């Protein structure tokens, strides 16, 4: 697997690179700004670009705009947003356009090394990875006819992990549940939300998030 890392903090770039390389992932480029990121992605064609939202010169949304350009020019490159900024609107925009190969994590999540590495590999395979804090904000929104009121506490826990992009097996490991029990809860969640369960995990995540955030 080949990765390009883009962040204006040299300390974070090198720290993330070390974690990836120690796990056998090849870091083919490091970028300090959006222009350098685009150049390295075009040159090295990585499997994943790890991108901060705020980058020089304005420290606003240069990284996000570069990520969108990469998706447009090279749709096979996975995008993993790694930022201190929690922007649910940005996450939803990416998911709505094309959820495959997209992730959004807060920088503190790097400290949970196994989860971070799993997220990078999941995005490289075309899967999704959403930070639990982003999911919590999405699940916290309310509509007049909010279907979440029909869910049990356990179903809400499972729904949150589904929205992070985890498989049924991954959910079972997190919650110490058998695969059969998780599958039963998942079917119940889709039934209560009025969503048809799909085989494709990415479409499943998109359906859940889009439904929960629909105004």
């Amino acid at each position: 697997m080949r990765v390009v890392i883009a962040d204006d903090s040299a300390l974070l770039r090198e720290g993330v690179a070390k974690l990836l390389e120690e796990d056998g992932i090849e870091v083919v480029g490091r970028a300090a700004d959006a222009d350098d990121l685009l150049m390295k992605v075009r040159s090295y064609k990585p499997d994943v670009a790890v991108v901060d939202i705020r980058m020089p010169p304005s420290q606003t949304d240069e990284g996000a705009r570069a990520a969108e350009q990469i998706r447009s020019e090279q749709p096979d490159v996975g995008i993993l947003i790694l930022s201190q900024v929690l922007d649910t609107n940005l996450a939803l925009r990416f998911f709505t356009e094309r959820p495959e190969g997209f992730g959004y994590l807060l920088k503190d999540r790097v400290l949970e090394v196994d989860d971070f590495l799993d997220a990078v590999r999941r995005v490289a395979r075309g899967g999704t990875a959403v930070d639990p804090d982003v999911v919590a904000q999405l699940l916290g929104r309310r509509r007049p006819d909010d279907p979440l009121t029909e869910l049990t506490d356990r179903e809400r826990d499972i729904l949150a992990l589904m929205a992070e992009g985890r498989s049924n097996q991954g959910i079972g490991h997190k919650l110490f549940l058998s695969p059969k029990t998780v599958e039963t809860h998942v079917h119940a969640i889709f039934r209560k939300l009025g969503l048809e369960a799909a085989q494709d995990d990415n479409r499943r995540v998109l359906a859940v998030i889009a439904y929960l955030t629909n105004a």
Side-chain angles (χ1 to χ4, degrees):
M1 186 193 309
R2 295 156 56 86
V3 175
V4 167
I5 302 168
D7 195 289
D8 63 325
S9 167
L11 182 61
L12 188 136
R13 284 198 311 273
E14 294 307 315
V16 170
K18 183 177 181 180
L19 288 177
L20 295 175
E21 290 170 340
E22 288 179 348
D23 200 54
I25 298 172
E26 183 181 5
V27 178
V28 296
R30 297 164 170 82
D33 57 56
D35 289 339
D36 195 23
L37 165 64
L38 291 171
M39 182 186 70
K40 285 185 167 62
V41 168
R42 289 164 181 156
S43 299
Y44 301 127
K45 303 188 186 315
D47 299 295
V48 179
V50 179
V51 184
D52 192 5
I53 291 177
R54 294 178 176 174
M55 300 186 72
S58 72
Q59 294 291 348
T60 54
D61 65 345
E62 281 88 350
R65 287 189 279 112
E68 290 178 318
Q69 189 167 342
I70 291 169
R71 297 225 98 181
S72 176
E73 295 179 0
Q74 301 187 56
D76 291 337
V77 176
I79 297 293
L80 178 58
I81 298 293
L82 185 62
S83 179
Q84 291 178 328
V85 180
L86 199 164
D87 187 337
T88 54
N89 291 327
L90 173 66
L92 285 172
R93 186 166 75 249
F94 273 90
F95 272 107
T96 300
E97 292 172 354
R98 185 167 62 85
E100 294 85 2
F102 175 70
Y104 190 127
L105 299 179
L106 298 181
K107 287 184 176 179
D108 288 348
R109 206 62 57 189
V110 174
L111 300 177
E112 300 175 18
V113 176
D114 290 341
D115 285 347
F116 172 67
L117 294 173
D118 178 64
V120 174
R121 294 186 180 278
R122 199 186 310 159
V123 169
R125 294 193 301 266
T128 58
V130 186
D131 195 279
D133 287 345
V134 176
V135 173
Q137 284 213 3
L138 298 179
L139 294 178
R141 298 187 181 189
R142 289 291 182 267
R143 305 184 317 182
D145 56 342
D146 189 358
L148 289 178
T149 58
E150 300 297 321
L151 302 183
T152 65
D153 289 342
R154 175 61 78 189
E155 288 167 351
R156 286 178 62 89
D157 290 341
I158 290 174
L159 177 59
L161 292 172
M162 285 170 57
E164 289 177 28
R166 297 184 184 276
S167 65
N168 286 358
Q169 183 178 7
I171 293 170
H173 287 159
K174 279 284 185 180
L175 299 180
F176 303 102
L177 298 174
S178 70
K180 185 175 181 180
T181 298
V182 173
E183 184 178 359
T184 299
H185 282 304
V186 168
H187 285 309
I189 290 167
F190 277 110
R191 184 179 69 252
K192 291 179 180 180
L193 295 181
L195 297 170
E196 182 179 351
Q199 293 298 320
D200 186 326
D201 286 341
N202 295 328
R203 295 184 186 278
R204 174 173 92 167
V205 171
L206 175 61
V208 171
I209 294 179
Y211 189 89
L212 295 177
T213 58
N214 184 33

